[in-house]
Amino acid sequence: LTTASHESRPWLFAFGHRPMYTITASDRNGRIHDDFLLGIDKPASFQEAFEPLFKKFNVDLYMCGHVHGYERQFPVFQDIPERPENPAEFKDPNSTIYVINGAGGNDEGFSKGTPNYYVPWNVFNEFSQWGYGILEISQQSYKWEFFNTSKVAIDSFTVRKTLKFNQ
């Protein structure tokens, strides 16, 4: 991240395997905890280690898998979301947007433990359909769409950014 710069690139994306924010490891207030999948993972520890770096270097999007399903989070920092009027349109968000796309298929089935309560930073989640995503990127915007296996878009969002570098 130290060599990445928004002065020369409009977008900074990070990719990984494990989620930093997932509804399968949060309480009713949206706080992440480490009691996840029988203690195998440590999302709170991961969040503590990397979220300040994502903020410092203005990471726009973090995409991961691991959770067998699909989730999208609002731009969020330290469990506090930025909630625009339209959750499918973002203009110059100040925090990282998180997408979990572990819905490519798995013989173990979908992840369990989806809460039956509202989590403030979660926009959308789907744990009953397999699917795939398409990310379209331009200098001024990027668009993410998640499709089920019937090729029906079931979630999408667009982020627009005011450019701060010479084109």
Side-chain angles (χ1 to χ4, degrees), residues 10-11 60 88-93 97 138-143 157-163:
W11 305 105
D60 296 293
E89 294 282 336
F90 300 92
K91 175 74 172 149
D92 296 319
I97 294 173
S138 73
Q139 278 196 323
Q140 295 83 16
S141 67
Y142 74 86
K143 180 179 182 179
F157 68 95
T158 301
V159 177
R160 300 184 196 295
K161 183 184 283 191
T162 304
L163 297 178

Side-chain angles (χ1 to χ4, degrees), residues 18-165:
R18 299 189 189 283
M20 190 175 307
Y21 284 93
T22 174
I23 61 172
T24 64
S26 69
D27 65 20
R28 292 181 184 277
N29 298 313
R31 287 187 301 268
I32 297 295
H33 53 80
D34 279 342
D35 182 19
F36 177 61
L37 295 178
L38 304 175
I40 297 168
D41 297 301
K42 302 289 185 192
S45 302
F46 179 62
Q47 181 186 33
E48 184 179 321
F50 287 97
E51 192 174 32
L53 293 173
F54 283 14
K55 187 71 165 178
K56 178 179 178 181
F57 293 103
N58 300 308
V59 172
D60 296 293
L61 175 69
Y62 176 69
M63 299 188 82
C64 68
H66 189 68
V67 174
H68 302 161
Y70 173 78
E71 294 182 50
R72 174 166 61 99
Q73 320 317 352
F74 284 107
V76 60
F77 179 67
Q78 295 179 337
D79 304 325
I80 300 170
E82 296 175 38
R83 298 177 57 91
E85 217 172 279
N86 179 353
E89 294 282 336
F90 300 92
K91 175 74 172 149
D92 296 319
N94 292 310
S95 299
T96 304
I97 294 173
Y98 296 87
V99 172
I100 299 171
N101 187 6
N106 183 314
D107 58 2
E108 296 173 356
F110 293 101
S111 289
K112 306 292 187 254
T114 305
N116 60 356
Y117 50 83
Y118 167 78
V119 178
W121 38 254
N122 180 253
V123 180
F124 184 83
N125 61 79
E126 173 57 56
F127 289 89
S128 65
Q129 298 182 70
W130 298 120
Y132 61 94
I134 296 176
L135 181 62
E136 297 176 24
I137 306 166
S138 73
Q139 278 196 323
Q140 295 83 16
S141 67
Y142 74 86
K143 180 179 182 179
W144 166 259
E145 290 183 283
F146 178 74
F147 296 85
N148 65 16
T149 54
S150 299
K151 301 181 182 176
V152 174
I154 59 173
D155 185 42
S156 69
F157 68 95
T158 301
V159 177
R160 300 184 196 295
K161 183 184 283 191
T162 304
L163 297 178
K164 298 175 182 159
F165 65 93

